[in-house]
Amino acid sequence: MSENELNAEHKIIEAAAAVFVEKGYEGARMQQIADKAGINKALLHYYYRSKDLLFEKAFLTVASSIFSKFFDAFNTEGSIFEKIENFLTLHQDLLFKHRKYPVFFFNEITRKPELIKKLISRLDVSEKFEKLSQQFEQEKRDGIIRSDIEVPHLMVNIVSLSVFPYIGRPIIQEIMSEFDVSYEKFLDERRSMIAQFVINSIKA
Amino acid sequence: MSENELNAEHKIIEAAAAVFVEKGYEGARMQQIADKAGINKALLHYYYRSKDLLFEKAFLTVASSIFSKFFDAFNTEGSIFEKIENFLTLHQDLLFKHRKYPVFFFNEITRKPELIKKLISRLDVSEKFEKLSQQFEQEKRDGIIRSDIEVPHLMVNIVSLSVFPYIGRPIIQEIMSEFDVSYEKFLDERRSMIAQFVINSIKA
DNA sequence: GTCTATATTGGGATAGAC
DNA sequence: GTCTATCCCAATATAGAC
């Protein structure tokens, strides 16, 4: 549908991203990507030379898009608490749609850490991170959040609490099912639970 | 060294575990496992028939050992707070030694969720989990921890906060290095930070 | 039980026609 | 640019000697 159909190059990236996220780099097959893109295997090599290059292009495209959205959530008006809630809502919506993405992402950057440098430079992460960090520090000085909070830990805490349940989905789901608790409901509850948990822990 | 040298069967599992954790199922090579075990490739098949079966055996062996230790940390005397601290210390020590393990574990159970059922039944996880859960509920009734805490969320929170920084190591480390913060120091700080964070949030 | 040698297939990559 | 046909190596798996 839409303009995606316009050129093969773009169709390939879309198909590649889907297959790589599903199967991981090692498990993905060029044949499957070609099938999904509705083209021939040889064309993949014509456009992207090798599996490795195709992967890198697809990885960076998807990762950039997702990370941009995260940073955008913090570039809104309002207090730091509202920003955290914005972030959590967006985060959970995205993860809900792309459940396999977190495991894929962390597996691949562990396999090939150079990907991170490329991603970071492409996105100006350092600059955005710095800005974000300064917002937190300002809220500390303004007495809105507790002064003993260490900003890097706070950031990692927020991300940990929201991302981990998706990474650990199979085990959490299985254990919960033995106690007749719905995993879907559990995830949904976390949206407000995490915001509350974090805000309580940092409010001055 | 030690008695591990006694039989090939055991040497193979040790070597297989190391290679699988390092490379993942898809990325691992039978040849590399044979080399590491100091034996021939054909012997792997003699003992374990196929890569798949060897993987399953190695996976369950390592996972059982690690999960047992976690549950043991909670089977100590003392208050729930002491137990949480025991757990966090043990957890961090184990993860510090086996840094690639979390990504491996979650990647593999996502690829093949049946592994979780086998692991759970092997370890009586449900029973241990139930027991643990009841301890928390008792502390609630005793007014030691807040009554509005939901135990499943609390458990997931504790695990999220301690495991995630290892899963996200490459990206956290890279961003920190741009701000001249040491990742090692960061991890070390988290031991007490998490305990404090959690305890503050649940104390009645 | 442990080895060497070999079978077999899967999958990334290329050649070359159109 | 897109296809078909093919190459070729890597990797799992097996046969069979010792």
Side-chain angles (χ1 to χ4, degrees):
Chain A
M1 318 294 149
S2 81
E3 328 183 29
N4 303 356
E5 303 290 336
L6 281 180
N7 57 66
E9 219 166 326
H10 190 215
K11 274 195 303 187
I12 291 173
I13 291 296
E14 290 227 325
V19 174
F20 280 129
V21 169
E22 186 66 24
K23 300 287 180 66
Y25 176 79
E26 298 284 358
R29 297 291 166 251
M30 294 296 267
Q31 183 63 60
Q32 199 186 344
I33 294 171
D35 291 348
K36 182 155 248 168
I39 54 147
N40 193 275
K41 218 175 37 159
L43 214 53
L44 299 179
H45 290 93
Y46 172 78
Y47 279 111
Y48 298 98
R49 191 78 194 162
S50 70
K51 183 182 182 184
D52 216 70
L53 290 174
L54 173 57
F55 173 81
E56 187 165 310
K57 177 81 181 183
F59 176 88
L60 290 176
T61 302
V62 177
S64 301
S65 149
I66 291 183
F67 275 74
S68 297
K69 286 179 189 153
F70 287 164
F71 281 108
D72 287 349
F74 269 103
N75 265 337
T76 53
E77 288 302 309
S79 75
I80 203 76
F81 298 127
E82 288 172 281
K83 287 179 185 193
I84 289 176
E85 280 179 346
N86 280 343
F87 171 76
L88 284 169
T89 299
L90 174 70
H91 207 176
Q92 300 286 331
D93 286 345
L94 270 174
L95 292 180
F96 213 80
K97 274 182 216 136
H98 308 284
R99 298 176 176 211
K100 285 207 166 182
Y101 188 74
V103 169
F104 162 76
F105 177 82
F106 292 108
N107 193 46
E108 299 305 336
I109 64 173
T110 299
R111 182 180 64 84
K112 214 180 173 187
E114 311 90 271
L115 291 170
I116 280 300
K117 292 199 183 181
K118 294 185 184 173
L119 178 63
I120 285 181
S121 63
R122 203 178 148 127
L123 278 177
D124 265 327
V125 165
S126 296
E127 193 194 316
K128 289 172 180 169
F129 190 83
E130 175 75 40
K131 224 169 128 185
L132 193 52
S133 178
Q134 282 171 5
Q135 282 182 38
F136 278 111
E137 295 296 348
Q138 185 60 45
E139 305 265 333
K140 273 164 72 170
R141 281 191 297 275
D142 293 348
I144 295 169
I145 67 179
R146 287 169 50 178
S147 62
D148 61 338
I149 295 296
E150 297 206 44
V151 173
H153 283 291
L154 173 59
M155 290 178 172
V156 170
N157 288 354
I158 294 173
V159 176
S160 300
L161 290 166
S162 43
V163 179
F164 183 80
Y166 291 87
I167 294 172
R169 175 176 189 173
I171 188 166
I172 296 174
Q173 190 166 29
E174 182 60 29
I175 291 179
M176 293 204 158
S177 82
E178 302 207 13
F179 293 95
D180 292 315
V181 177
S182 149
Y183 176 73
E184 314 294 327
K185 191 162 160 273
F186 180 77
L187 284 184
D188 210 59
E189 288 166 3
R190 287 186 76 77
R191 293 180 190 236
S192 55
M193 191 283 295
I194 294 171
Q196 208 48 55
F197 192 79
V198 170
I199 289 171
N200 279 344
S201 77
I202 64 173
K203 222 171 202 160
Chain B
M1 315 293 149
S2 85
E3 329 183 30
N4 302 355
E5 302 291 335
L6 280 180
N7 57 65
E9 219 165 327
H10 190 216
K11 273 195 304 184
I12 290 173
I13 290 296
E14 291 227 325
V19 174
F20 281 129
V21 169
E22 185 66 25
K23 301 285 180 69
Y25 176 79
E26 299 283 0
R29 298 291 166 250
M30 296 294 266
Q31 184 62 60
Q32 198 186 345
I33 294 171
D35 291 347
K36 182 156 246 166
I39 54 147
N40 194 276
K41 224 175 30 161
L43 214 53
L44 298 179
H45 289 92
Y46 172 77
Y47 280 111
Y48 298 98
R49 190 79 192 161
S50 70
K51 182 182 181 182
D52 216 70
L53 290 174
L54 173 57
F55 173 81
E56 186 166 311
K57 177 82 181 181
F59 175 88
L60 290 176
T61 302
V62 176
S64 301
S65 149
I66 290 184
F67 276 73
S68 297
K69 286 180 189 155
F70 287 163
F71 281 108
D72 286 350
F74 269 101
N75 265 337
T76 53
E77 290 300 311
S79 75
I80 202 76
F81 299 127
E82 288 172 282
K83 287 179 184 191
I84 290 176
E85 279 178 348
N86 280 343
F87 171 76
L88 284 170
T89 299
L90 175 69
H91 206 177
Q92 300 288 330
D93 286 345
L94 270 174
L95 292 180
F96 213 80
K97 273 182 216 132
H98 307 284
R99 298 176 176 213
K100 285 207 165 181
Y101 188 75
V103 169
F104 162 76
F105 177 82
F106 292 108
N107 192 46
E108 300 304 335
I109 64 173
T110 299
R111 182 180 64 85
K112 215 179 173 190
E114 312 91 270
L115 291 169
I116 280 300
K117 292 199 183 181
K118 294 186 184 171
L119 179 63
I120 285 180
S121 63
R122 201 178 151 130
L123 276 177
D124 265 325
V125 165
S126 297
E127 194 194 315
K128 289 174 181 171
F129 189 83
E130 176 74 40
K131 223 169 129 186
L132 193 51
S133 178
Q134 282 171 5
Q135 282 182 37
F136 279 111
E137 296 294 348
Q138 185 59 45
E139 304 265 334
K140 273 163 72 169
R141 282 192 296 277
D142 292 349
I144 294 169
I145 68 179
R146 287 169 51 178
S147 61
D148 62 337
I149 295 295
E150 297 206 44
V151 173
H153 284 291
L154 172 59
M155 289 178 172
V156 170
N157 288 353
I158 294 174
V159 175
S160 300
L161 291 167
S162 42
V163 179
F164 183 80
Y166 290 88
I167 294 173
R169 175 177 188 176
I171 188 167
I172 296 174
Q173 190 165 28
E174 182 60 29
I175 292 179
M176 292 205 158
S177 81
E178 302 207 13
F179 293 95
D180 292 315
V181 177
S182 150
Y183 176 72
E184 313 295 325
K185 191 161 161 270
F186 180 77
L187 286 183
D188 210 61
E189 287 166 5
R190 287 187 77 78
R191 293 180 191 237
S192 54
M193 192 283 296
I194 295 172
Q196 209 47 53
F197 193 78
V198 170
I199 290 172
N200 279 344
S201 77
I202 64 174
K203 222 171 203 158

